[in-house]
Amino acid sequence: MNLLQQTIQKKGKSVNNTALDASDFLTKQVDIELLDWCAEQLAAHFKSHNINRILTIESGGIAISTLAALKLNVPLVVMKKKRSILDTQVLLTTFVHSFTKNSTYELNCNAQHINAGDRVLFIDDVLAHGNAVQGTLDIIKLADAKLAGVGILFEKSFQSGRDMLDQQEIETLSLAQITSLDNGIHF
């Protein structure tokens, strides 16, 4: 078992056999040493992919993406789930359904932050049904950029996200693949 899997096993909690509560090390309290290890794994894997920009969605992906961007020495672009009064520039937008919150939100990104031809690495904390990745693909397409890969901390491989990525032949690195949350956490 790798460091992330060990931490998930020790500190994670299965909720309703469908969700992983990672609040003790990722969402409400952040284990920086663990995320540094995760960022190192992602950066090493995607180093040869000529990434020139990392894209993530607020808020779960920000911490890991910041560390990976630092290691790859590329800018980090954070897509937002809600417009702000500060959003006076042209926005690239799409809609995404959140499995965890059971709601749909408008995903947006400043059009000046992604350039045509960019090779983008999308990093997020969780892969479930693949809706966040699909929304990111929509944004990347609007920018005329290219998705070079997807980096995920943990995926729930018993849900449809990985199949969707495999069908689209998107290179994906998940640092932990959870096969079941029934009566505990299983890899």
Side-chain angles (χ1 to χ4, degrees):
M1 253 195 237
N2 70 34
L3 182 60
L4 178 59
Q5 292 168 319
Q6 291 170 16
T7 303
I8 290 170
Q9 196 72 54
K10 182 178 177 183
K11 296 181 178 180
K13 297 173 191 84
S14 174
V15 178
N16 298 327
N17 296 333
T18 59
L20 175 68
D21 178 355
S23 60
D24 285 349
F25 59 93
L26 182 62
T27 58
K28 294 180 181 174
Q29 175 174 273
V30 179
D31 182 335
I32 298 301
E33 289 180 7
L34 172 65
L35 285 190
D36 188 55
W37 178 87
C38 293
E40 187 62 43
Q41 305 312 302
L42 294 171
H45 181 84
F46 289 106
K47 186 175 184 165
S48 65
H49 289 64
N50 298 316
I51 305 296
N52 61 346
R53 194 164 312 274
I54 291 178
L55 206 53
T56 196
I57 299 175
E58 67 174 347
S59 64
I62 294 175
I64 183 60
S65 297
T66 299
L67 293 170
L70 184 63
K71 291 177 185 312
L72 289 170
N73 194 30
V74 297
L76 168 62
V77 177
V78 178
M79 296 179 288
K80 299 292 187 167
K81 295 179 181 177
K82 192 168 189 172
R83 289 179 187 237
S84 158
I85 61 170
L86 302 175
D87 292 327
T88 58
Q89 304 295 323
V90 174
L91 296 179
L92 305 172
T93 63
T94 192
F95 290 92
V96 173
H97 183 76
S98 168
F99 168 78
T100 308
K101 296 182 176 154
N102 194 27
S103 64
T104 299
Y105 58 89
E106 179 191 76
L107 183 63
N108 70 71
C109 177
N110 187 320
Q112 293 179 336
H113 294 159
I114 305 176
N115 304 308
D118 276 350
R119 292 186 50 80
V120 176
L121 172 61
F122 175 63
I123 296 179
D124 207 2
D125 54 347
V126 181
L127 173 63
H129 296 284
N131 297 342
V133 178
Q134 190 58 57
T136 300
L137 283 168
D138 293 346
I139 297 288
I140 290 170
K141 184 177 181 180
L142 289 170
D144 199 26
K146 178 174 178 22
L147 181 65
V150 173
I152 300 292
L153 291 184
F154 64 87
E155 75 175 62
K156 297 187 281 181
S157 58
F158 58 91
Q159 293 175 327
S160 60
R162 175 56 86 144
D163 288 340
M164 183 270 293
L165 293 172
D166 288 346
Q167 287 172 5
Q168 295 186 47
E169 298 180 351
I170 296 171
E171 183 172 348
T172 304
L173 174 62
S174 296
L175 299 179
Q177 296 179 334
I178 298 170
T179 58
S180 172
L181 288 168
D182 291 336
N183 303 314
I185 301 164
H186 308 278
F187 298 100

